[in-house]
Amino acid sequence: MPLDGRLLSNVSVLAAVVEGGSFASAANALGLTPSGVSRAIARLEGRIGIRLFDRTTRSLSLTDEGRQLYANINPLVLGIEDAVTIAAGASGAVRGRLRVNTDAFTSRLLLARHLPRFLAQYPELTLELIARDQLGDLVAEGFDIAVRFGEPPSSSLVSRKLMDSRVVTVAAPAYIARHGRPAKPADLAGHACLQVRNPATGQPYTWEFQRGHKLVEVPTTGRLLLTDPGTVLETVLSGICVAQIKAVGIQPQLDSGELVDLFPDWADERLPLLALYPSRHLPAAKVRAFIDFVMEVVSPASKPMPMPKPMQKPQR
């Protein structure tokens, strides 16, 4: 199939529809009318002989063939945008809409208080930070990047590890004063332990402790089960329970003494924070800017991490 300007234009319209989630949003982003967007998609569908979208009056979603096409062309579109951006200079590169998929912990406890600085740095950028339990399909749902803790399922996404966070077991000084400090993880059997629901299973997370190559699971009980990380933090600060939480989100409370790390000698259980995105090519300037921002938040003095590699099947 010969490559011409109209084909490239229609492909750009396809990318805008997926990223915007609707023909109207794509029209607004491209300076077209919704009917103009619809005609461009129809021309592209006729050119390649497949239906790209399933459309109703209330919803719009990619077909399987459309999803595959978009997954293949999106890196090329981003590469063209990046080439133009680099040629034009980096000063005005970070602009437009950036859709970020993240987990509630990262959104609430890690990034929220730093967002004003990021937006002030890039006044031409609009940020959509969407916290959700599951990663989902970045391409089909129009996300530019995901920043999440844990090991997601194997996929074609590019993965870049930004940091590892310790998982710490903490209590407030008021709790320790009333109930005593457990000397070892097994002592938690006699304490009120806050349970947190694992969204993947619907069951409470298992309490694990690691020291070197030694990994132990400790059965715990508690009358309270929570899902929101902000509520977890406020609850453990109130002094009614012990909790397990990622250290990177509560470092100010650990530094101030509002929370006490109960088992500093069991400090080797860690979870990676990953940046995930579809393109195997140079990511868009806005994506690179957000990765740099997250790196500044989690490790202000750190050196740049290595360039990304295709994601491999996770190992425990």
Side-chain angles (χ1 to χ4, degrees), residues 80-256:
I80 293 171
E81 291 177 351
D82 238 23
V84 172
T85 294
I86 292 172
S91 60
V94 181
R95 61 168 66 95
R97 186 184 68 159
L98 177 66
R99 298 192 78 228
V100 180
N101 174 314
T102 188
D103 55 82
F105 181 94
T106 302
S107 175
R108 178 78 181 271
L109 298 186
L110 206 56
L111 301 181
R113 63 183 179 272
H114 300 284
L115 292 178
R117 171 168 56 85
F118 179 69
L119 293 175
Q121 187 175 358
Y122 301 109
E124 296 182 67
L125 185 72
T126 299
L127 176 66
E128 294 182 16
L129 186 66
I130 300 173
R132 50 194 294 179
D133 286 345
Q134 303 292 337
L135 175 64
D137 189 328
L138 293 190
V139 172
E141 297 176 62
F143 286 103
D144 298 292
I145 185 173
V147 178
R148 307 181 66 91
F149 277 98
E151 300 285 357
S154 297
S155 71
S156 61
L157 295 175
V158 173
S159 172
R160 177 179 177 182
K161 185 167 77 170
L162 305 181
M163 60 136 359
D164 284 310
S165 176
R166 293 187 302 125
V167 177
V168 293
T169 305
V170 296
Y175 178 91
I176 296 172
R178 285 196 300 269
H179 303 285
R181 178 171 180 167
K184 56 186 182 298
D187 293 343
L188 290 173
H191 286 265
C193 295
L194 178 62
Q195 305 299 304
V196 177
R197 183 178 65 86
N198 182 342
T201 65
Q203 300 300 312
Y205 281 106
T206 301
W207 287 49
E208 296 181 343
F209 299 84
Q210 186 170 352
R211 182 167 57 191
H213 296 294
K214 184 177 182 181
L215 178 67
V216 298
E217 293 185 4
V218 175
T220 62
T221 59
R223 297 167 54 205
L224 186 60
L225 185 147
L226 298 175
T227 60
D228 174 63
T231 308
V232 170
L233 177 57
E234 292 300 322
T235 300
V236 71
L237 284 170
S238 73
I240 66 169
C241 61
V242 178
Q244 281 199 326
I245 194 165
K246 291 178 281 289
V248 68
I250 59 167
Q251 198 58 53
Q253 290 80 10
L254 291 171
D255 292 340
S256 68

Side-chain angles (χ1 to χ4, degrees), residues 241-286:
C241 61
V242 178
Q244 281 199 326
I245 194 165
K246 291 178 281 289
V248 68
I250 59 167
Q251 198 58 53
Q253 290 80 10
L254 291 171
D255 292 340
S256 68
E258 293 176 274
L259 291 176
V260 177
D261 181 357
L262 298 177
F263 308 113
D265 54 336
W266 289 82
D268 294 326
E269 184 187 4
R270 297 173 182 270
L271 283 175
L273 179 65
L274 303 177
L276 307 165
Y277 48 93
S279 175
R280 294 179 182 274
H281 297 269
L282 187 65
K286 60 187 178 182

